[in-house]
Amino acid sequence: MIPKFRALAARWTTAVPVLGVVLLVLTWGRDLPGLVVALVTAVLAGAVLSAVHHAEVIAHRVGEPFGSLVLAVAVTIIEVALIVTLMVDGGDKSATLARDTVFAAVMITCNGIVGLCLLTGALRHRVAVFNSEGTGAALATVATLATLSLVLPTFTTSKPGPEFSTSQLTFAALASLVLYGLFVATQTVRHRDYFLPVTKHGKVVDGDDHAEVPSSRTALISLGLLGLALIGVVGLAKGVSPTIESGVESAGLPHAVVGVIIALLVLLPETIAAVRAARRDRVQTSLNLALGSAMASIGLTIPAVAIASVWLSGPLVLGLSSTHMVLLVLTVLVGTLTVVPGRATPLQGGVHLVLFAAYLELAVNP
């Protein structure tokens, strides 16, 4: 039965990404009736699960922290393309879309995914153990990027409103790229051991023996299918975005909720992969995925929208409101207290999840 199950899983995880791209081509730029929206949503869910499967195959082949980096960067690059596309099509109402989506990604990853993984790992293995040196470096980078890109625009005076001037936006974009590049070099070259899972006794786990290592050919095929799956996820999410926007407007919710929903859809593959890693007592892998995604979201989105602003006619609002700044400060403070010991109980996971719930509540009722 197990070989048959694996063969069936291999077939559907190969077919769904291709189906997703075909459906994307057929529906791109068209008004979708309710039945087609339901079909797109079903394929979107399948593409998410397929992306997680292929990301885990690649991660098992290349090892940590490269596997987490592949998924985080792949998702974020396509997320950036989605944001820029929506900004080009959306007019003035999309002025805050980049800010809302990036901040949503930070809250989802640093509180939602981190809290869920710490809670899962601690409940299953009594204590969730991770490397505080690598995780602390990642959190510090996320905090710096978020402050430079999302907090400072609220206080600058060169341009009215929570916006950067051209030179300030250029600096923020370059700083984001430099910091992200430095972190990737630290994570993958100079201090790779800081980002590897550890046992309860502090021993670094380099490798994973829970399954046979896939061949290079299998990993390359999974890499291609991962790309197709992610293109399908983000493209189909854009296809249903008019339905999302109309639903948000009909419910009388703030337009910022659209950014939250988009970020939730795009980050689904990383969320599932991170929780699976936490269940296997690889909480460091979960944190690599979560904080790496937050970092990539800021570090790649801000330069992209800086370039896009050259031809975008409307304003580009990046500065956070006072309420969101309070949430960001509290997230960094609580994250620091969580990271320092290098281990967490269900309490820390619950604290992060409550912060995430507070963010969702304030997004719906600002």
Side-chain angles (χ1 to χ4, degrees):
M1 291 297 294
I2 293 178
K4 289 182 179 179
F5 178 77
R6 288 178 177 173
L8 179 62
R11 283 197 294 270
W12 83 259
T13 55
T14 301
V16 169
V18 177
L19 177 61
V21 173
V22 171
L23 188 59
L24 174 60
V25 172
L26 295 175
T27 58
W28 184 262
R30 300 183 180 182
D31 293 329
L32 305 180
L35 187 60
V36 177
V37 170
L39 175 62
V40 168
T41 304
V43 175
L44 175 62
V48 166
L49 296 175
S50 178
V52 172
H53 168 77
H54 293 297
E56 289 184 338
V57 171
I58 296 167
H60 194 41
R61 174 62 188 175
V62 302
E64 282 298 318
F66 299 99
S68 302
L69 186 64
V70 168
L71 180 57
V73 173
V75 168
T76 305
I77 288 174
I78 303 175
E79 176 192 354
V80 169
L82 173 62
I83 292 172
V84 173
T85 302
L86 291 175
M87 288 181 67
V88 171
D89 295 341
D92 289 341
K93 70 177 183 179
S94 66
T96 61
L97 180 64
R99 178 198 67 186
D100 295 338
T101 306
V102 169
F103 185 65
V106 173
M107 290 293 105
I108 291 167
T109 53
C110 294
N111 286 319
I113 299 179
V114 167
L116 190 58
C117 291
L118 292 179
L119 185 63
T120 300
L123 288 176
R124 191 173 179 85
H125 303 283
R126 189 173 176 81
V127 176
V129 182
F130 49 88
N131 193 321
S132 60
E133 293 171 303
T135 309
L139 180 62
T141 309
V142 170
T144 302
L145 286 171
T147 302
L148 289 177
S149 302
L150 302 177
V151 176
L152 287 183
T154 304
F155 299 99
T156 54
T157 57
S158 298
K159 195 171 182 179
E163 302 176 41
F164 272 144
S165 66
T166 302
S167 62
Q168 290 168 342
L169 183 59
T170 302
F171 170 78
L174 292 174
S176 298
L177 285 175
V178 169
L179 278 176
Y180 186 63
L182 283 173
F183 176 80
V184 170
T186 301
Q187 184 186 35
T188 59
V189 181
R190 293 188 62 87
H191 299 286
R192 176 174 170 263
D193 55 313
Y194 288 1
F195 301 90
L196 295 175
V198 293
T199 65
K200 290 181 174 61
H201 303 291
K203 181 181 178 182
V204 174
V205 180
D206 192 355
D208 196 348
D209 57 2
H210 76 283
E212 184 181 351
V213 177
S215 66
S216 298
R217 180 176 178 273
T218 301
L220 287 174
I221 292 173
S222 285
L223 182 61
L225 291 171
L226 172 63
L228 289 179
L230 293 176
I231 290 171
V233 168
V234 180
L236 294 175
K238 183 185 185 300
V240 299
S241 62
T243 304
I244 294 172
E245 291 180 351
S246 62
V248 168
E249 290 177 4
S250 300
L253 300 175
H255 192 264
V257 174
V258 175
V260 177
I261 296 173
I262 290 172
L264 284 169
L265 286 173
V266 172
L267 289 170
L268 259 181
E270 283 149 308
T271 303
I272 297 173
V275 171
R276 284 184 175 179
R279 286 176 58 84
R280 299 197 310 269
D281 203 18
R282 298 292 186 265
V283 176
Q284 183 61 51
T285 301
S286 303
L287 298 179
N288 290 345
L289 277 167
L291 297 177
S293 297
M295 202 181 309
S297 183
I298 306 172
L300 299 179
T301 300
I302 299 304
V305 297
I307 295 172
S309 66
V310 173
W311 70 81
L312 290 175
S313 56
L316 177 61
V317 177
L318 291 176
L320 294 173
S321 66
S322 56
T323 302
H324 285 169
M325 280 191 280
V326 170
L327 283 175
L328 180 62
V329 170
L330 190 55
T331 295
V332 173
L333 178 60
V334 170
T336 302
L337 296 175
T338 297
V339 165
V340 168
R343 57 184 58 225
T345 65
L347 174 62
Q348 282 95 334
V351 170
H352 282 279
L353 288 175
V354 167
L355 280 176
F356 179 57
Y359 164 69
L360 293 179
E361 168 63 22
L362 292 172
V364 174
N365 297 301

